[in-house]
Amino acid sequence: MALDNTWFTEIYPADGAAFSFKIKAKLHDERTPYQHIEIYDTVGFGKLMVIDGCVMLTDRDNFLYHEMMSHPVLFAHRAPKKVMVIGGGDCGTLREVLKHPGVEEAWQVEIDERVTRLSEQYFPALCSANDDPRAHLYFGDGIQWLKDAAPESLDVIIVDSTDPVGPAEGLFNEAFYRNCHRALCPGGILVGQSESPLFHKTLIQSMHGAMRAAGFDHTRTFYFPQCVYPSGWWSATLAGKGVDPLGFREQDAAQKSFATDYYSADIHRAALVAPAFMAGVGG
Ligand code: SAM
């Protein structure tokens, strides 16, 4: 079926595929010093944010990504108190992190302040925890921030980044992971969004190699659905400093004090099961 100009389509040329949204209106279009940000109102998915032509999030399904970028790593850590989010300017991951009562401080380092300001305007629910006294929002390059971070000052680092091109390219290499390793306390855990298992297996493999080379003892990839991202299936990769993030506080996860729409202790366990074609990738 041919699509007219009332559709937004993200094309994945390398894989000969695409995903489309029926659009009600374009709400915003802006070129910042870092990237091109568009906001749409869609017929089926609520508001949609697009950066450099790539779908970032929608009202309808962002809970999957934000919950899975935060709760698995936080329940894998023994007692996370100091948490750093790199990227994540829509603030949805930060909101989930702050649901954990044991978290004392959470920093978000987003390179592009406009992503956050537009999220406050168009995705206010995601920004609802920004006034929490434990939340600290900084605007700058996460790569530099980690270079400058005090050694052994963080329990958890969450890399909620765009794809590994442009400003996010340096968030996927050994030099960056080495700085994360240094900044983490013993028992600390890093998690990074690691793209589609179906489309980007090589990237996931290279992330495991770079994390291990940077000094992490154990690396694990987990999986979750995300229909608006390439292939509809996404992953994140954990790296533990002296700890295997395959284990997690199952009892605490099962009895968590806050509501989630996707995450549960059972989902956590299931998400860590590697599909057969990914066997041997890290782990
Ligand atoms: N869920 C999204 C996805 O996987 O497509 C990512 C959402 S979040 C909006 C990604 C953010 O990472 C963007 O706002 C972008 O500005 C930010 N970012 C990219 N490179 C960065 C860097 N080097 N330091 C800090 N933030 C960065």
Side-chain angles (χ1 to χ4, degrees):
M1 188 184 94
L3 302 179
D4 59 34
N5 62 7
T6 63
W7 291 78
F8 170 83
T9 298
E10 179 181 347
I11 296 172
Y12 322 127
D15 296 281
F19 191 88
S20 294
F21 299 88
K22 179 84 171 162
I23 297 302
K24 283 192 209 166
K26 188 175 212 178
L27 304 176
H28 194 85
D29 190 316
E30 175 175 348
R31 285 175 200 277
T32 75
Y34 303 99
Q35 51 211 356
H36 180 200
I37 309 174
E38 297 162 89
I39 314 267
Y40 295 90
D41 194 11
T42 73
V43 170
F45 280 74
K47 303 239 177 30
L48 160 69
M49 180 189 283
V50 176
I51 293 185
D52 289 340
C54 299
V55 170
M56 290 293 115
L57 63 112
T58 75
D59 276 329
R60 186 170 184 182
D61 78 332
N62 77 80
F63 67 96
L64 292 156
Y65 177 87
H66 289 138
E67 290 183 11
M68 293 306 277
M69 286 306 293
S70 49
H71 305 309
V73 68
L74 289 168
F75 281 117
H77 192 280
R78 222 173 304 134
K81 294 184 172 65
K82 314 275 181 211
V83 179
M84 164 82 70
V85 179
I86 299 294
D90 55 72
C91 304
T93 298
L94 181 67
R95 183 186 68 172
E96 295 302 312
V97 167
L98 292 166
K99 287 181 178 174
H100 289 249
V103 169
E104 294 171 354
E105 312 269 2
W107 296 269
Q108 179 181 281
V109 182
E110 162 61 55
I111 203 167
D112 190 347
E113 182 168 358
R114 290 302 297 152
V115 175
T116 299
R117 300 300 165 226
L118 290 169
S119 298
E120 287 168 346
Q121 188 177 349
Y122 293 107
F123 299 91
L126 298 183
C127 300
S128 59
N130 289 4
D131 292 334
D132 187 309
R134 299 171 295 160
H136 310 285
L137 270 59
Y138 292 98
F139 298 103
D141 187 351
I143 300 166
Q144 190 59 42
W145 193 274
L146 259 305
K147 235 183 238 171
D148 299 339
E152 302 193 359
S153 56
L154 299 168
D155 296 313
V156 164
I157 299 171
I158 300 175
V159 184
D160 178 359
S161 68
T162 36
D163 300 339
V165 286
E169 197 176 349
L171 296 170
F172 289 78
N173 61 34
E174 185 187 326
F176 174 70
Y177 296 142
R178 203 170 281 285
N179 288 326
C180 292
H181 188 270
R182 194 178 44 80
L184 284 169
C185 299
I189 310 178
L190 161 72
V191 67
Q193 74 90 359
S194 49
E195 310 274 306
S196 160
L198 196 65
F199 288 1
H200 310 118
K201 181 177 172 183
T202 311
L203 171 80
I204 299 173
Q205 267 164 328
S206 77
M207 282 176 72
H208 281 272
M211 287 167 161
R212 298 287 182 106
F216 286 98
D217 309 281
H218 300 277
T219 55
R220 303 279 177 184
T221 292
F222 60 94
Y223 307 87
F224 50 96
Q226 196 75 57
C227 73
V228 304
Y229 287 171
S231 85
W233 190 28
W234 217 241
S235 72
T237 298
L238 297 152
K241 180 173 177 174
V243 65
D244 185 350
L246 190 60
F248 69 106
R249 292 179 288 121
E250 299 201 23
Q251 192 83 347
D252 291 350
Q255 294 169 355
K256 63 186 171 49
S257 57
F258 51 85
T260 47
D261 288 315
Y262 183 71
Y263 178 84
S264 68
D266 288 340
I267 285 285
H268 188 144
R269 219 174 290 115
L272 282 158
V273 177
F277 80 92
M278 294 297 282
V281 176

